[in-house]
Amino acid sequence: MNYELFKSIHNLSGHSNTLDNFMVFITDKAIYIFALALLALWIFGGKCMKRAVLYAGGTGVIALVVNVLIAQIYYEPRPFVTHHIQTLIPHAEDASFPSDHSTGAFTIAIAMWFRYKKIGIPMFILALLTGFSRIWAGLHYPFDVLGSLMVAIVISYVIVKLSRLFDPLVNWIISIYDSILGKRSISNKSSRTKNF
């Protein structure tokens, strides 16, 4: 069933250069889009947004660590290793389950959704597209992406429930950033005053 679902999606590739290029862009660059989005939200957001960004990024890292542990326990070869298929981009023959790209995308989106739904929803749509593009490109099975979604949901939920434990660290990081930024703004003001 997993392979049949994979074929039904991957066989859509190779018919349109535009679609293939778009899927390759998403599968390669989506994680950078998430990173830039978090950076922008951190820079231009208030304290609550900065907390959401730290939780989203931190939860994503924890989920990827869980992925590594899962891959050590259960090894699933990638589709192009087991079957004779043509991938859209080259990739190492490492574990297929779960998908790291999809896990990172889903986790950031879900963690953000818990705190800011209006931001989390478009992020989740991009995460779905990321997972779909991994199948389209021939790098993952559908169940790899589904496994990533499950990991993201569980880890995000656990971190939300344990947020009281992480709040002191999160608040400390934000206070450090604010103090550094405050010193810079004071020094900038003093230099402007001297110029006058």
Side-chain angles (χ1 to χ4, degrees):
M1 180 181 176
N2 196 17
Y3 181 56
E4 293 303 316
L5 285 171
F6 167 81
K7 285 196 298 182
S8 66
I9 296 172
H10 178 63
N11 286 346
L12 297 172
S13 67
H15 303 291
S16 167
N17 285 334
T18 302
L19 275 176
D20 285 348
N21 290 335
F22 174 71
M23 290 297 176
V24 167
F25 173 81
I26 293 297
T27 206
D28 269 347
K29 309 300 182 185
I31 199 67
Y32 299 111
I33 297 173
F34 278 101
L36 288 173
L38 291 180
L39 179 62
L41 291 170
W42 172 270
I43 292 172
F44 298 108
K47 185 174 181 179
C48 288
M49 181 59 74
K50 285 179 172 59
R51 284 170 50 82
V53 168
L54 285 175
Y55 270 110
T59 306
V61 171
I62 293 171
L64 290 175
V65 171
V66 171
N67 267 19
V68 172
L69 296 176
I70 292 173
Q72 295 298 317
I73 298 169
Y74 172 74
Y75 177 78
E76 173 73 34
R78 290 183 182 266
F80 59 84
V81 174
T82 307
H83 307 280
H84 296 290
I85 61 167
Q86 184 68 41
T87 61
L88 295 185
I89 54 175
H91 199 284
E93 297 181 3
D94 52 358
S96 186
F97 181 88
S99 164
D100 288 337
H101 281 74
S102 301
T103 298
F106 279 129
T107 307
I108 290 171
I110 294 169
M112 187 60 72
W113 180 85
F114 275 123
R115 292 164 178 86
Y116 287 94
K117 288 181 173 55
K118 288 184 179 179
I119 298 173
I121 290 172
M123 281 187 167
F124 189 76
I125 293 170
L126 180 57
L128 286 172
L129 187 55
T130 301
F132 187 78
S133 72
R134 303 297 288 177
I135 305 167
W136 183 290
L139 305 178
H140 284 285
Y141 293 106
F143 283 9
D144 299 337
V145 176
L146 182 61
S148 297
L149 177 58
M150 294 300 103
V151 169
I153 291 172
V154 171
I155 298 301
S156 298
Y157 181 78
V158 169
I159 296 300
V160 165
K161 289 299 180 182
L162 297 178
S163 58
R164 287 184 180 179
L165 295 176
F166 297 104
D167 277 346
L169 175 61
V170 168
N171 292 332
W172 178 74
I173 293 172
I174 294 172
S175 67
I176 293 293
Y177 175 82
D178 287 341
S179 66
I180 293 171
L181 194 65
K183 289 177 182 177
R184 284 181 181 174
S185 62
I186 290 171
S187 63
N188 287 340
K189 286 180 181 178
S190 62
S191 64
R192 287 174 188 171
T193 305
K194 288 179 182 178
N195 290 334
F196 284 110

